[in-house]
Amino acid sequence: MKTKAVRMYGTRDLRLEEFELPEIKDDEILVKVMSDSICMSTYKLAEQGKNHKRAPKNIDTNPIIIGHEFAGVIVKVGEKWKDQFKPGQKFAQQPALNYKGSLASPGYSYEYFGGACTYCIIPHEVMELGCLMNYEGDSFFEASLGEPMSCIIGGYHGNYHTNKVNHDLKTGTKEDGNILIMGGCGPMGLGAVSYGIQFENKPKRIVVTDVSDDKIKRAQEVITPEYAKEHGVELLYVNTAAMADPVAELMELTDGHGYDDVFVYVPIRQVAEMADQLLAFDGCLNFFAGPTDNQFKAEVNLYNVHYTSAHILGTTGGNNDDLIEANELAAAGKIEPAVMVTYVGGIDSIAEATLNLPNIPGGKKLTYTQFDMPLTAIEDFEELGKTDPLFKKLDEACKRNRGLWNAEAENILFEHFGVEV
C-alpha cells in the first residue's frame, strides 16, 4: 500500500513524499491516520536531527515519519491481534512507549510509524504495552489532542506534597490550594486550566500568567472566570509584564500564602526563578516546559528547600492511564481540548508549519492528513468565507461553538474533501 508522509532526513530536512509501505507482519497493524496535531517537541526534533536522543543515526538513508499526536482508523490487523482489534475501529495511541528501556517513539524513531502520513504501520511493542487504544469519541481531533492532554494530566498527578508525621507523600496537586500556571495562555497552559477546574484535588484558586494581552484576552474568552466559578474555582488571568513587582503582586492574590503548586510552562530562566520565590510552605514547583538548551539552568533557594519543604520536579509525557483519562473526560465534555487549537491545515502544511512553529502565533496547529489544505487560522475563517464557501461553513460551525474548533467543523472538512471515515 502507498502512503504519503512527512519524513525527516536530517536537521531541518523534512520532506513530504509518497512511498510504498511493506506488508504488515502477523504482529503489526495497518492504520489510516485522520488527524495529527503538531507538537513543539517535533520542532525540537527537526532542529536537532540525528542528534536528538530519540532519532536514529541513519535517518539520512532511512528517514523517519514525524508526528506523534495522531488518531485514525484501523485498516488491517495482523493475526496476533485479531481477537483484540478489528478493521474499521477508531483508535487513539500513547506515544510514550518506553519499551524495554528504549527511547524509540512514534514520530521520532520509526520508518513506518508516525502521525504525519496517510497510512502507517503500528509495530508489535505498541500493542504489547497497551498503547493502542479503542476510541469512541465523535471527533478525531480530540483523540489527537488526548496525547498533549495526557502530558498535562501526568503533570497534575506527578506533583506531590509531604506529610511530616509519617513521611508519606500525597500525590497530585493540593486540594483546596493555590495553583499558579506561569506562561499559561498558550495551548498547553489552557489545557492545564481546563483540567485543573475539574481535577479531583480541586484547587480553590488558579492564577494564570502571561505577558501578552492578546493571549490573555483569548484565554478569558475560551475558559471564562465565570465558568470556573460555577465549578467552584476562582480563576484569574494576569499580565506580569504590567506589574511593577510581579512576585509581590502575585503573592497578594493568595493573601500572602503563596502557591501550593506552580507549573512553569515556558523555559525562561526569570520565570523559573520567579516560580521558586512564589512557593508556599510544602509547595511543589513543576518545571513542565522542555528547553532545547541541554545546559538550561536557573537559581533556586535551597534554604527554602531545607526549611519550608519546597520541592522541585519536572514531568514530561503521560502514561496510558493519563491518556485514558484524557479521552474519557473529553468524551464526557468535562475538559475541552479544542481550547488549544487556533490553526487547521492539511498534510501539505505540516513540514513548513513544523519548521516555523515558534514563529507562528496562537495555539495548537491541528492537521488532517488525508487531504491538502493551507494552514489557516480559525480567526481568519470569517474573512476567507466571504469568497470561499468552505470557509464560510467552517466559520459558522466554529461560531456556534464559541469560536472553537469542533466535531461539526471536522466533518465539514471530511465531506468537502471526500474523506471516508
Side-chain angles (χ1 to χ4, degrees):
M1 164 172 289
K2 284 191 180 297
T3 187
K4 184 184 287 186
V6 179
R7 300 200 284 183
M8 184 176 79
Y9 284 80
T11 302
R12 295 190 64 81
D13 187 356
L14 304 181
R15 309 177 197 177
L16 177 59
E17 301 175 318
E18 189 172 61
F19 57 95
E20 196 75 28
L21 287 174
E23 282 295 318
I24 65 167
K25 301 173 185 174
D26 286 347
D27 60 357
E28 296 177 332
I29 291 178
L30 175 68
V31 298
K32 179 180 182 179
V33 177
M34 302 297 288
S35 61
D36 178 47
S37 56
I38 302 175
C39 179
M40 185 60 76
S41 295
T42 304
Y43 164 76
K44 297 171 188 175
L45 169 71
E47 285 291 307
Q48 296 176 32
K50 67 174 65 177
N51 293 321
H52 193 283
K53 62 184 179 180
R54 295 187 189 274
K57 298 300 182 185
N58 65 343
I59 54 173
D60 53 337
T61 57
N62 297 78
I64 57 94
I65 300 175
I66 66 168
H68 58 273
E69 298 178 358
F70 63 97
V73 179
I74 292 173
V75 175
K76 186 177 181 181
V77 181
E79 191 65 32
K80 182 176 180 178
W81 307 109
K82 284 192 172 178
D83 291 338
Q84 197 170 338
F85 299 99
K86 303 296 180 185
Q89 187 176 345
K90 291 182 181 178
F91 75 86
Q93 54 84 38
Q94 169 58 267
L97 303 178
N98 302 310
Y99 184 68
K100 296 182 178 179
S102 170
L103 291 175
S105 181
Y108 297 89
S109 317
Y110 292 89
E111 288 185 68
Y112 304 122
F113 180 33
C117 64
T118 52
Y119 295 88
C120 72
I121 296 172
I122 300 185
H124 66 91
E125 54 264 35
V126 179
M127 284 69 78
E128 288 177 18
L129 294 167
C131 290
L132 181 65
M133 303 173 187
N134 182 43
Y135 174 69
E136 297 179 353
D138 294 331
S139 67
F140 288 100
F141 83 89
E142 286 190 320
S144 278
L145 296 174
E147 194 281 330
M149 279 303 308
S150 78
C151 300
I152 291 164
I153 291 169
Y156 271 82
H157 287 301
N159 275 26
Y160 68 93
H161 296 275
T162 60
N163 183 330
K164 294 300 184 183
V165 176
N166 55 21
H167 299 296
D168 285 346
L169 302 181
K170 183 172 178 58
T171 58
T173 54
K174 189 171 183 178
E175 187 173 1
D176 199 37
N178 293 290
I179 290 178
L180 177 63
I181 304 174
M182 305 198 74
C185 289
M188 295 295 281
L190 290 178
V193 175
S194 179
Y195 182 72
I197 289 170
Q198 68 77 48
F199 188 40
E200 59 185 358
N201 295 354
K202 188 172 292 186
K204 67 179 176 184
R205 179 182 293 116
I206 298 176
V207 177
V208 187
T209 73
D210 211 289
V211 294
S212 166
D213 284 335
D214 288 341
K215 290 170 72 174
I216 290 173
K217 181 175 182 293
R218 179 180 183 271
Q220 290 172 327
E221 290 171 350
V222 297
I223 308 178
T224 67
E226 292 76 18
Y227 171 81
K229 186 176 181 180
E230 290 172 5
H231 291 78
V233 177
E234 180 185 9
L235 175 60
L236 303 169
Y237 295 99
V238 296
N239 188 334
T240 51
M243 293 178 169
D245 186 343
V247 172
E249 293 181 49
L250 287 169
M251 274 291 193
E252 284 180 14
L253 297 177
T254 68
D255 298 320
H257 173 83
Y259 294 88
D260 303 287
D261 295 276
V262 180
F263 292 93
V264 177
Y265 267 72
V266 288
I268 299 171
R269 175 173 178 159
Q270 294 90 331
V271 176
E273 291 178 347
M274 190 189 306
D276 178 55
Q277 298 174 59
L278 290 163
L279 287 173
F281 182 87
D282 192 33
C284 186
L285 192 164
N286 188 323
F287 185 70
F288 188 90
T292 54
D293 178 8
N294 63 8
Q295 295 300 309
F296 182 84
K297 297 178 176 69
E299 291 187 358
V300 298
N301 188 325
L302 294 177
Y303 179 94
N304 287 342
V305 169
H306 183 80
Y307 285 105
T308 68
S309 298
H311 37 283
I312 299 171
L313 57 81
T315 55
T316 178
N319 60 26
N320 286 3
D321 289 340
D322 297 328
L323 183 57
I324 291 169
E325 183 179 354
N327 288 334
E328 287 179 349
L329 290 172
K334 292 185 177 180
I335 60 172
E336 203 165 18
V339 298
M340 299 182 180
V341 179
T342 56
Y343 283 78
V344 180
I347 192 171
D348 59 325
S349 70
I350 293 175
E352 183 179 357
T354 300
L355 293 174
N356 293 287
L357 202 56
N359 303 316
I360 306 174
K364 270 282 184 188
K365 284 68 187 175
L366 172 68
T367 63
Y368 290 94
T369 60
Q370 295 296 320
F371 51 80
D372 291 346
M373 174 180 159
L375 189 70
T376 309
I378 293 173
E379 66 181 9
D380 292 339
F381 286 177
E382 181 177 9
E383 184 63 29
L384 293 169
K386 293 177 181 177
T387 55
D388 189 322
L390 171 61
F391 285 105
K392 186 175 189 299
K393 290 181 181 179
L394 293 175
D395 180 54
E396 291 169 349
C398 290
K399 283 179 176 174
R400 284 192 285 271
N401 195 52
R402 303 186 347 266
L404 300 178
W405 191 249
N406 55 84
E408 180 189 0
E410 179 177 278
N411 287 327
I412 288 170
L413 281 183
F414 289 161
E415 182 178 347
H416 177 82
F417 288 105
V419 177
E420 293 185 10
V421 179

